[in-house]
Amino acid sequence: MEAKHLIDLDQLSPGELDEIIRLAQKIHSNPSAYMDRCHGRIMATLFYEPSTRTQMSFQTAMLRLGGQIIGFDNPSNSSVSKGESLQDTVRIVSGYADILVIRNPLEGSAYAASLYSRCPVINAGDGGHLHPTQTLTDVVTLSMELGRLDHLTIGLCGDMKNGRTVHSLIKCLSKYPGNRFVMISTPELRIPEYIEDVLRESGCTYEFRDTLEEAIGELDVLYMTRIQGERFASRAEYERQKGVYILDTQRLKLAKPTLKILHPLPRVDEIEQEVDYDPRAKYFEQAEYGMYARMALILKMIGQKYPPAKKIENEQGGHCTNPRCVTQSEGYLPKLYCEHGDVKECRYCNAKI
Ligand code: NCD
């Protein structure tokens, strides 16, 4: 794999992504053939935010490959509670481990970590920004359950604004021909501007809908998401948004018999438990495919060791004002930008500058 780190799935060529999907399928069909592939290797999981599936599936993936694991899932048990910077934690742990998996509530934090890491960094969710390995999980699931990633009508429902899984999934599936996106949310929770730019530039058709009922009958895939309570400015704002979209067996009657229902989980109230028994519900299988997807990714990425970080200078005009960007709290980070057409974006969080 060419990329040194996996911050965004964009870093993989379509061929590389396809290779990972195929490897995940091979591991799924014969896991014992891979049980020693990471013997003697160590993976560090640095989880500054709660997680069940992502953290445990990464850890199980490494253990099933014969490797070992270190890390924290509660930063208050580490020197982070004494004020240690992200940079220092990453410099230290990347000297101990062969691969580093990081989840942090700040947007752009995984990219920031990659600037200082001596081993490959995998982004396991950076605030409301991106979550590439969930997308890997989702595309492995679609490949296994539908056999293709193109010419699909994909409904995405819930919190399109704060849901990082949705952002990464749209970025990925908009590269495949013939896909159509139907985004079902309240006007307040629509996708961020930079994701709409991606859709517009991809040439895929996309539309916004207000209700699940008006869209569900057209869909090949329904990707439900929870309203991300922890990312709202106030509890009152969250209360206004929650509970609007609920998938139940009644609404499911309007859907195609071949529909696949996905959800990154955890669910709150957006899928009634009775739906779990419908053969179209694939979210529990999806969580299991995630382990095979992560085994494949670890195998593709592990083994590199990088020299200590060199100092990076600020780029003129790279100052980001997004309050959720990692550059706001980790003040030593160089100010960097990238260009998207004639628009400047923060290199860490993609907010417009
Ligand atoms: C998602 C996440 O953390 O972004 N969960 C996951 O990784 N499976 C979705 C969510 O928390 O809603």
Side-chain angles (χ1 to χ4, degrees), residues 49-51 53-54 103 124 127 131 134 164-165 225-226 228 230-231 263-266 294:
E49 243 192 2
S51 170
R53 273 148 297 274
T54 306
R103 167 172 288 192
H131 193 347
Q134 180 62 46
R164 54 193 172 195
T165 61
T225 64
R226 80 184 161 95
Q228 308 268 305
E230 71 277 29
R231 308 214 193 279
H263 191 312
L265 303 175
R294 291 176 172 112

Side-chain angles (χ1 to χ4, degrees), residues 129-175:
H129 186 220
L130 296 169
H131 193 347
T133 67
Q134 180 62 46
T135 298
L136 209 52
T137 299
D138 303 340
V139 294
V140 167
T141 305
L142 293 177
S143 305
M144 299 287 280
E145 297 290 337
L146 276 170
R148 69 177 203 278
L149 298 174
D150 53 15
H151 298 94
L152 295 170
T153 299
I154 304 140
L156 301 137
C157 178
D159 192 343
M160 308 288 104
K161 179 178 174 207
N162 302 299
R164 54 193 172 195
T165 61
V166 170
H167 305 160
S168 284
L169 187 61
I170 293 175
K171 286 182 80 172
C172 179
L173 289 180
S174 63
K175 297 212 179 94

Side-chain angles (χ1 to χ4, degrees), residues 337-349:
Y337 66 83
C338 49
E339 271 163 326
H340 204 101
D342 43 12
V343 182
K344 267 190 190 172
E345 282 180 2
C346 170
R347 182 72 188 80
Y348 298 83
C349 71

